[in-house]
Amino acid sequence: MDLGSAMSEYLLYLRIERGLAASTLEGYERDLGRYRIFLEDVSKRTVDAVTPDDVSAFQQSLFKAGEAPTTVKRRLSALKGFHRFCLSEGFASKNPTAPIPMPNTPDRLPDVISIEEACKLLDSIYEPEPPRVRDRALLEVLYGCGLRASEVCGLDVQNVFLEEGFLRVIGKGSKERLVPLSGTALVAMGAYLGNARAQMSLRATAPDADSLRAVFLNQRGRRITRQGLYKIVGAAGEAIGIKGLHPHTLRHSFATHMLNGGADLRVIQEILGHSDISTTQIYTHVDRQHLVEEYLSSHPRAARHR
């Protein structure tokens, strides 16, 4: 099968069978498109014509272009998925990416804030104006429930169960999960939904169906966007002296603080919506780093070698 047709079939599979988001599909399409241009430049126009040497040459071209190892790893992952799909569907008789190892990338620990900083951040917002009530609920849910930015923006009223104390969250690949909602996050969400949201919805000149469903609204009474969410979180961080604060920092902090508090890694995995436990295990590295820092700062013998 020619490369163009095979790639179109793969993208269709990712959209229909895997249920990937539009933004994720666009990334796959860019990666595959660049791969196709490279192969056609060396006269490889069918899937079966591609060899491991071609894949290696493409990988090296990415490094020569100055791309970071993490970016090259992501692109190669997309190619491996594509060629596995072609083999399973009978579009090709071999998988040229099978013998190609993934490039080594340095472990990058997620940014986190301390428990003290998290409390200072959340306790700093107590104004009664509807936008500020919304901001407090946003921050409480990000830190208290560990949601992704997209999940917070996509949260619908019908999926908030205050009395039962949980949220129904639509995560990556349209997968649903239940996330506990309790403590100050529950109180903040109740305060927002009790009155503030209704006041903000009145600002919409012509509310559409999506705005009526949305939990978090912007100043125009529409569903809040990722850009709007990032601005709110960044401004809240700046107000207490934390520069560059973003939603994922609060998600990472949630997981790290849960682990430090003794939560089981599998529980954290389920709440975060990770399909693979290895993704969640990054937080065990954060925990170990915390232990090392505590040791270096307090042990009398460690201090002599710093």
Side-chain angles (χ1 to χ4, degrees), residues 135-263:
D135 293 352
R136 181 173 175 82
L138 272 171
L139 293 168
E140 287 279 8
V141 167
L142 283 166
Y143 175 68
C145 303
L147 302 192
R148 301 179 178 94
S150 59
E151 293 169 348
V152 171
C153 294
L155 193 62
D156 287 339
V157 174
Q158 66 181 14
N159 290 329
V160 178
F161 301 88
L162 294 176
E163 290 189 9
E164 294 83 355
F166 69 87
L167 305 174
R168 180 184 291 120
V169 178
I170 311 301
K172 289 186 175 181
S174 299
K175 294 180 180 177
E176 292 188 8
R177 69 183 190 279
L178 299 181
V179 176
L181 177 69
S182 62
T184 54
L186 176 62
V187 172
M189 183 68 90
Y192 171 64
L193 292 179
N195 188 30
R197 181 189 175 281
Q199 292 186 48
M200 295 192 71
S201 68
L202 295 175
R203 303 183 184 195
T205 53
D208 55 13
D210 186 57
S211 300
L212 294 173
R213 290 194 306 268
V215 169
F216 293 110
L217 305 176
N218 60 23
Q219 296 281 25
R220 299 186 304 278
R222 303 283 183 174
R223 184 185 293 274
I224 197 169
T225 63
R226 286 172 62 95
Q227 292 83 357
L229 176 62
Y230 271 75
K231 286 181 180 179
I232 291 169
V233 174
E238 288 278 356
I240 64 164
I242 303 176
K243 293 185 177 181
L245 185 66
H246 53 84
H248 261 64
T249 303
L250 297 179
R251 175 173 161 87
H252 296 322
S253 301
F254 158 84
T256 303
H257 298 165
M258 285 277 290
L259 185 65
N260 289 345

Side-chain angles (χ1 to χ4, degrees), residues 107-115 248-261 265 268 272 274 278-295:
D107 290 334
R108 182 180 181 278
L109 300 179
D111 296 328
V112 297
I113 58 176
S114 68
I115 294 176
H248 261 64
T249 303
L250 297 179
R251 175 173 161 87
H252 296 322
S253 301
F254 158 84
T256 303
H257 298 165
M258 285 277 290
L259 185 65
N260 289 345
L265 197 63
I268 298 174
L272 292 177
H274 289 160
S278 64
T279 306
T280 318
Q281 284 173 337
I282 184 67
Y283 297 106
T284 63
H285 300 310
V286 176
D287 188 36
R288 284 198 292 271
Q289 183 186 46
H290 167 74
L291 292 176
V292 171
E293 290 173 353
E294 287 292 312
Y295 171 78

Side-chain angles (χ1 to χ4, degrees), residues 4-118:
S5 299
M7 288 178 180
S8 295
E9 289 289 335
Y10 183 53
L11 292 171
L12 185 64
Y13 159 76
L14 293 177
R15 181 170 64 85
I16 302 299
E17 299 290 334
R18 295 276 303 278
L20 298 188
S23 57
T24 305
L25 286 170
E26 288 172 5
Y28 273 97
E29 191 168 10
R30 285 193 299 270
D31 290 343
L32 292 174
R34 184 167 180 173
Y35 181 51
R36 179 184 175 185
I37 290 172
F38 175 86
L39 291 174
E40 289 181 346
D41 283 346
V42 293
S43 301
K44 299 296 177 73
R45 302 182 185 280
T46 65
V47 182
D48 249 345
V50 182
T51 67
D53 287 342
D54 294 324
V55 179
S56 293
F58 176 69
Q59 182 178 351
Q60 290 306 311
S61 74
L62 298 177
F63 281 120
K64 288 179 181 178
E67 294 200 349
T70 51
T71 303
V72 175
K73 188 172 185 176
R74 190 204 72 220
R75 295 192 193 280
L76 184 58
S77 177
L79 305 190
K80 282 179 173 288
F82 166 67
H83 281 287
R84 283 196 302 268
F85 170 79
C86 289
L87 184 62
S88 66
E89 294 295 312
F91 300 159
S93 60
K94 60 184 184 301
N95 177 0
T97 64
I100 309 298
M102 297 293 281
N104 291 324
T105 54
D107 290 334
R108 182 180 181 278
L109 300 179
D111 296 328
V112 297
I113 58 176
S114 68
I115 294 176
E116 291 75 18
E117 287 173 322

